[in-house]
Every structure is written in C-alpha cells, then in structure tokens.
C-alpha cells in the first residue's frame, strides 16, 4: 500500500531524517578508508593499523565494500534532494551558482592543504593536479590524474556533472506519472548493470591495478568515470517523484529497507568485484532513502532527526572530503607501524576525531559563509523572464539534506 499524503503537503515537508542518515554513509566511507591495506597516496603503505593479521584481515574484509556503498548512497541522495527541492520557473544560472558554491570552496581549501602536506611532492606536472583543481580529473583514465592530490575528491567530478545535467533531466522526469516512475527506475538499474558488463567484457583487463583486483582502466570506467554514475543520480530524481506522488509502498519502511541494505552489502562482499561498486546495493540504497523520506513526510519520529544527528549530517560532506588528509596523510606520518588492538582502536578514533573536526571547520568557516555571501541572487531592478528549468534548495523549507 502506498502512502497517501497529498503531494503538496509532501513538498512542504522537511527531511531531517535524511540529513541524519547522511552521516552514516560518510561513516561507512571513513571505515573503508581506515581499513585499506594500501594507501592511495605515496608511499602506498597500509593504513589498516592492526598488528594481529587475523584482526587486520577481518577489519579489511568487513569494510571492503563500505566506501562503495556510502558513495552510491550520496549519488542517489543527490538526485533525490535536488528533485525534492526543485521548483518550476527558477533560473538555471542561480541553481548552478549555489551548487558550485556547495562544493568548490570546501574542495579548494582541502586541495590546498593536500598540496602543501603531501601531494605537491608527488605530482610531477601541472597536468596531474590542474584537472583535480577543476574537478574534471575523473574524465582522465590515468590513475596518476583521476586519484591525484586529494583522492576522496574524485566523487566531486561526478557531482559536478550531476549539477550540469539536473536542469535538463528534471523537466522530462516531471512529466512521468504513476507506474511509469517505477519502470524508469528499473531502467536506471539496468543501466548500472550495463556499465559493469561493458567494464568486464569490453574494457581491457590489463595491466592490473596495484590496489584493486581489476585493471586501472576497468576501475576507472566502472567506478570513477562520471557518466557511468548518472544512472544513480537519475534514480534519485525518480525516487523523489515517487515519494512526492504518494506512491512509496508503506510496507517498505525503515526497518525493512535497513534489512535489505544488510543483505545487499553481504551480496556485495561475495559478488564479482565490479558488481560490488553499485549493482549489489543500489536497490537497498534506494529503499533506504525512499523509506526515510516517507517517514519524514508522514512526521514519524526517528532517531535520525534528532539535533545531534542532523548536525552530524550537516558536517558529513566536509567529514568525507578531509579524509585524504586526516587518514591518508596522518597515517603516513606513522610509517608502516602496526599496533595492538587497544592502540589500533585509539589510532582509528584519532582519525575519526580529526576528520570530524575538519568537517566541522569546513562547514562552519568555509561552506556556510560562502553560501550566505554568494548563494542568493541579488535583487533585480527590473523583472526579466527566466527559463523554467532551474531547481533550488535554498528558499524552500527543507533541511540540509535537501541542500545536499
């Protein structure tokens, strides 16, 4: 049975639970990064701090797909919250300005820190670091470019493409009604499977990557290349339309979707490597987002909408972005030393505290001031017609989840 809340009421609903849920996605990425056996920055030493080989292997295996799950969640969520907050008639230029302000100030600050601390000594030419600064680096198949400077920033290249495409996607998707929304959602999942089939059977599987079981080209095409991630973003837009139309099935609540996520993650652990990127977990991720949003629409109480969880969700973007410094760089200062379980846990706790502090500093002193200063359009002296394409999250009564 679908939810029955009128769509106009749904459009006015806030999404605090989705904001809180963002933090857990970022936490999964943190645990993935902390468990790596090879750092993505030179000298590529292990990050995993456990000396006991059994515990180290268990930690690494348990969270080996957590980063992929967390990033896929953010990509689907991006489409969802932008569609949720969009209003016909708003200007494309204003939308793009706000979205660029969301990512570039934080990115530039962390880029500068990474260059100063470690990346400046590793990159050999402007061609290695300039694409990263411009967030076009994941269009390059070379590993020295697409994961250069601050490795977590690779996902921003996909987000940048999403923002450019959103005004073009939202118009036809607004015209989709009823059961056709589910059909198109299914087609997006088919597209994700197709990406991995091409990666497996068409993209060259040699030379092998130094840090993954596939080739560098397969990892780039199947995971890093922005165009392949558009299916997740479009799925998020379609999900928002489903919830706004009151079509989300009530029986798929938060508990069911969480159980599906656990099962999907278990499937990702045993699936062929490329299919653990997105395919194994995308349906559970979609269910989790749809169910959580529906809970907010209906005003149901969840722990995710508490003030501490909303705060954690608000700083989650910065928390994610600084991990190239707070995990990869700080771990390199410790050399290849490994530790007993209590000390290793303290090391991980230190990485977490540094990442959370860095995320808060970015949110408080970079992201928010930039949005306040430049995020709103200046008043016009004369009215002018505007194209009816642009969506915006800044002037609608939504929480940070809908400002993505």
């Amino acid at each position: 049975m679908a939810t029955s809340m009128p769509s106009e009421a749904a459009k006015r609903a806030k999404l605090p639970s989705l904001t809180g849920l963002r933090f857990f996605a970022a936490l999964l990425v943190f645990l993935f990064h902390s468990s790596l056996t090879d750092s993505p920055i030179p000298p590529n030493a292990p990050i995993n701090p456990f000396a006991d080989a059994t515990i180290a292997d268990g930690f690494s295996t348990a969270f080996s797909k957590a980063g992929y799950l967390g990033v896929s969640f953010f990509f689907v969520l991006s489409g969802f919250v932008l569609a949720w907050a969009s209003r016909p008639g708003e200007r494309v230029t204003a939308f793009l300005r706000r979205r660029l302000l969301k990512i570039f100030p934080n990115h530039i600050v962390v880029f500068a820190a990474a260059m100063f601390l470690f990346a400046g000594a590793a990159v050999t030419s402007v061609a290695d670091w300039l694409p990263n600064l411009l967030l076009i680096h994941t269009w390059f198949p070379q590993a020295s470019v697409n994961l250069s400077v601050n490795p977590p920033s690779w996902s921003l290249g996909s987000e940048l493409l999403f923002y450019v495409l959103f005004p073009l996607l939202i118009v036809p998707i607004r015209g989709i009604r009823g059961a056709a929304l589910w059909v198109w959602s299914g087609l997006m999942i088919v597209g994700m499977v197709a990406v991995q089939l091409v990666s497996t059977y068409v993209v060259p599987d040699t030379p092998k990557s130094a840090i993954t079981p596939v080739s560098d080209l397969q990892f780039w095409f199947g995971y890093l290349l922005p165009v392949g991630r558009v299916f997740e973003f479009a799925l998020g837009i379609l999900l928002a339309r489903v919830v706004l139309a009151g079509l989300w099935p009530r029986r798929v609540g938060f508990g069911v979707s969480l159980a599906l996520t656990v099962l999907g993650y278990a499937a990702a652990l045993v699936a062929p490597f490329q299919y653990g990127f997105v395919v194994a977990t995308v349906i559970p991720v979609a269910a989790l987002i749809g169910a959580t949003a529906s809970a907010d629409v209906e005003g149901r109480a969840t722990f995710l909408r508490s003030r501490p969880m909303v705060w954690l969700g608000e700083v989650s973007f910065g928390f994610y972005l600084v991990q190239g410094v707070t995990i990869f760089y700080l771990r390199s200062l410790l050399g290849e030393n490994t530790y007993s379980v209590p000390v290793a846990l303290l090391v991980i706790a230190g990485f977490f505290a540094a990442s959370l502090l860095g995320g808060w500093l970015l949110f408080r002193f970079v992201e928010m001031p930039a949005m306040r200063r430049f995020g709103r359009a200046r008043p016009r002296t004369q009215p002018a017609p505007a194209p009816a394409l642009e969506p915006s999250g800044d002037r609608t009564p939504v929480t940070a989840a809908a400002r993505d």
Side-chain angles (χ1 to χ4, degrees):
M1 178 179 179
T3 57
S4 59
M5 174 172 281
S7 61
E8 288 304 312
K11 290 177 182 177
R12 293 194 294 270
K14 297 181 180 181
L15 302 173
S17 297
L18 269 185
T19 302
L21 191 60
R22 289 168 59 96
F23 174 72
F24 288 102
L27 181 62
L28 287 175
V29 177
F30 169 84
L31 292 169
F32 169 76
H33 286 155
S34 299
S35 70
L36 290 175
T37 55
D38 296 288
S39 172
I41 69 171
N44 306 113
I47 292 176
N48 193 320
F50 291 98
D52 186 301
T54 301
I55 295 176
D57 289 345
F59 182 43
S60 179
T61 299
F63 294 105
S64 60
K65 305 296 183 181
Y68 305 136
L69 173 61
V71 169
S72 187
F73 174 91
F74 280 122
F75 285 171
V76 177
L77 183 66
S78 289
F80 187 98
V81 297
L82 290 181
W84 188 269
S86 67
R87 298 190 302 174
E90 294 182 312
R91 302 179 65 228
V92 174
T93 53
F95 165 73
L96 290 176
R97 182 183 66 251
R98 283 189 289 272
R99 303 323 303 168
L100 294 179
L101 283 170
K102 175 70 178 179
I103 60 175
F104 266 101
N106 281 350
H107 164 61
I108 290 171
V109 169
V110 181
F111 173 93
M115 286 291 287
F116 176 76
L117 292 171
F118 60 89
V123 294
T124 58
S125 70
V126 173
D128 288 335
W129 62 260
L130 184 58
N132 183 286
L133 179 62
L134 300 177
L135 294 181
I136 59 173
H137 52 309
T138 43
W139 293 95
F140 293 77
Q142 298 88 351
S144 62
V145 177
N146 56 47
L147 289 176
S148 64
V149 189
N150 179 39
S153 69
W154 76 266
S155 66
L156 301 189
S158 293
E159 292 285 356
L160 186 60
L161 177 64
F162 299 163
Y163 299 156
V164 172
L165 291 180
F166 181 77
L168 304 176
L169 293 174
I170 187 61
V171 174
I173 290 178
R174 281 195 186 114
I176 301 174
R177 296 287 187 272
L181 288 166
W182 293 110
V183 173
W184 279 99
S185 297
L187 290 175
M188 295 305 102
I189 296 171
V190 171
M192 297 173 211
V193 175
V195 168
Q196 301 310 325
L197 288 174
V198 172
S199 175
T200 303
Y201 296 108
V202 178
V203 177
D205 61 0
T206 57
K208 293 296 184 182
S209 166
I211 59 175
T212 72
V214 296
S215 70
D216 284 330
L217 279 176
Q218 287 176 314
F219 186 70
W220 168 71
F221 184 88
Y223 189 65
L224 301 176
L225 185 62
V227 69
R229 310 308 295 257
V230 172
F231 293 109
E232 291 154 273
F233 179 69
L235 175 61
I237 300 174
L238 290 160
L239 283 174
R241 293 281 299 115
V242 166
V243 177
L244 285 169
L247 298 176
W248 186 259
R250 187 181 295 272
R251 62 181 176 273
V252 184
F254 182 78
V256 170
S257 62
L258 187 60
L260 287 174
T261 303
V262 173
L263 291 174
Y265 188 78
L269 290 174
V270 298
F273 183 71
Q274 296 98 311
Y275 298 90
F277 293 155
V278 177
V279 173
T281 56
V282 69
I283 292 177
V285 161
L288 194 59
I289 291 173
T292 304
S294 293
D296 280 338
V297 165
E298 296 176 359
R300 285 182 269 130
T302 70
F303 79 98
L304 293 169
R305 63 191 301 159
S306 65
R307 183 169 297 181
M309 287 308 309
V310 170
W311 180 85
L312 287 169
E314 288 175 339
V315 304
S316 62
F317 174 50
F319 173 77
Y320 164 81
L321 196 58
V322 300
Q323 290 178 25
V325 173
T326 57
I327 299 178
F328 302 157
Y329 174 66
L330 291 181
R331 182 65 175 99
S332 71
L333 298 181
L334 300 176
E336 297 191 24
N337 295 322
T338 54
Y339 308 95
S340 64
V341 172
V343 176
L345 290 174
L346 286 175
V347 169
I348 295 172
F351 292 160
F352 177 82
S355 300
L356 191 61
L357 175 61
W360 174 76
L361 289 172
L362 285 173
F363 177 74
R364 176 66 178 81
F365 296 105
V366 179
E367 180 182 328
M368 292 306 295
M371 294 299 294
R372 283 195 297 264
R373 176 65 178 85
F374 303 106
R376 296 185 182 277
R378 295 179 181 178
R380 304 170 191 245
T381 55
Q382 295 181 350
L389 293 177
E390 191 273 323
S392 165
D394 289 352
R395 288 177 290 177
T396 54
V398 293
T399 65
R403 293 195 300 270
D404 187 32

